[in-house]
Amino acid sequence: MRKNVLRELLNAGKPTLSTRMVTTVPEIVEIIGLSGEFNFIELCGEYTPWTLPDLEKFARTVELFPNMSSMMKVEREPRMFIAQRALGAGIQNVNFADCDSAEEVKECIRYVRPLTPEDGGLHGCGMRRNVGYVLESGSVAWVQAMRNVVIEVMIESASAMEQLDEILSVKGVDMVHFGPCDYALTVGKPGQKASSEIKGKQREMFEVALKKGVRPRVIINSYEEAKEYFDMGVRDFCVGSELGTLYRWCKLNGEKMLEMLSRV
């Protein structure tokens, strides 16, 4: 079984730097890896058009870089299928979206953990890529790898914020991540994800998580946005996504070029 870089960093109490992808293009995975700057890539499976072979290609490309790990963002349904197939493909960590209660979070963790009496999980043996297909299925090493999966939970609804203390107390929750867009929808304020009120809720979540010893991860678009969160104590940052970064570059440079050319 391959070492889980993200788990090792969390166990050592070290900060992490990640980025996100909304495609499964292997060349983009490679260019991120070649930068040598990121600890893991999160594949936003909730938004990405993917097939099961795409998950294997994504994981296989990440593995070209020994100091980098991977994470799959799993949508509400079918959670168990997606989480187990992502792990089986070789993606090492999971971010569960749309968990509205502590009970949902507990069930998500069971989808990941092995089918042993002590773990109480729902994840059985498989002949998939992460175990070498036929080499380590159900082995002690595989059981430990499933215990080492870093589990992140999205806090993105009014219900989740109301149960925040209970969710953060669930054994097995390693990281949390605030979803401002969906949260704004659930409180009847669509389009206001960047408002002071929603940002205040995000700050509240970070503060509670830090007190509970759960790592909050924040999504930003540039280095310049990091300081306010760093000063709060946040040490896990996700900078941009490949499509968002490309759009912002095109928009900024396109506008400046057209402004210059308009003077001709």
Side-chain angles (χ1 to χ4, degrees):
M1 301 297 297
R2 185 172 184 262
K3 73 173 184 176
N4 188 333
V5 173
L6 178 55
R7 171 55 68 191
E8 291 183 353
L9 289 169
L10 294 193
N11 286 352
K14 294 183 178 179
T16 68
L17 183 62
S18 58
T19 188
R20 301 193 292 175
M21 287 180 59
V22 197
T23 69
T24 57
V25 179
E27 291 85 353
I28 295 176
V29 176
E30 285 188 283
I31 205 69
I32 294 168
L34 288 169
S35 76
E37 304 300 334
F38 293 90
N39 304 123
F40 69 100
I41 302 175
E42 177 188 2
L43 177 62
C44 292
E46 185 180 15
Y47 318 125
T48 305
W50 55 268
T51 65
L52 294 177
D54 287 332
L55 299 185
E56 294 195 353
K57 292 173 186 175
F58 174 80
R60 190 176 287 117
T61 311
V62 170
E63 289 173 13
L64 294 173
F65 305 94
N67 294 320
M68 195 162 69
S69 186
S70 52
M71 175 181 280
M72 178 73 164
K73 184 179 183 183
V74 175
E75 59 203 275
R76 189 186 297 272
E77 293 298 342
R79 280 178 178 149
M80 183 171 175
F81 173 80
I82 295 173
Q84 293 187 2
R85 293 310 294 257
L87 293 168
I91 298 173
Q92 294 180 298
N93 307 291
V94 180
N95 174 16
F96 286 104
D98 300 311
C99 288
D100 294 331
S101 68
E103 288 306 311
E104 279 188 76
V105 171
K106 290 176 184 177
E107 194 68 4
C108 287
I109 292 171
R110 293 187 70 209
Y111 299 154
V112 171
R113 299 303 187 223
L115 196 67
T116 64
E118 56 266 48
D119 293 289
L122 296 171
H123 198 169
C125 301
M127 296 172 63
R128 295 173 181 152
R129 183 178 171 273
N130 66 331
V131 294
Y133 304 103
V134 296
L135 298 179
E136 294 187 272
S137 178
S139 66
V140 172
W142 172 80
V143 167
Q144 188 57 50
M146 294 306 99
R147 291 170 178 167
N148 284 340
V149 171
V150 172
I151 294 178
E152 181 176 81
V153 175
M154 296 286 297
I155 303 296
E156 50 187 343
S157 69
S159 174
M161 278 300 292
E162 289 166 3
Q163 295 192 45
L164 183 60
D165 191 75
E166 293 91 332
I167 289 172
L168 295 173
S169 299
V170 173
K171 183 180 179 182
V173 174
D174 298 295
M175 307 179 85
V176 284
H177 166 174
F178 188 78
C181 189
D182 279 347
Y183 181 82
L185 291 177
T186 69
V187 295
K189 299 188 176 179
Q192 297 185 40
K193 64 179 182 179
S195 69
S196 59
E197 178 183 345
I198 304 303
K199 285 182 71 69
K201 284 294 181 179
Q202 181 185 48
R203 177 178 287 271
E204 177 186 337
M205 191 214 76
F206 288 162
E207 291 173 349
V208 176
L210 289 166
K211 287 178 183 177
K212 298 282 288 187
V214 177
R215 305 272 292 253
R217 185 168 67 116
V218 64
I219 307 299
I220 56 176
N221 289 320
S222 67
Y223 164 78
E224 288 74 19
E225 296 177 34
K227 187 176 186 303
E228 68 168 300
Y229 301 108
F230 184 84
D231 290 346
M232 288 176 58
V234 175
R235 295 296 180 265
D236 300 284
F237 289 88
C238 180
V239 184
S241 66
E242 85 283 42
L243 296 187
T245 299
L246 178 60
Y247 169 78
R248 285 186 292 274
W249 188 93
C250 290
K251 185 71 173 172
L252 175 64
N253 289 279
E255 284 180 348
K256 289 182 178 296
M257 287 300 300
L258 288 176
E259 180 185 358
M260 181 180 71
L261 293 171
S262 71
R263 299 196 295 268
V264 174

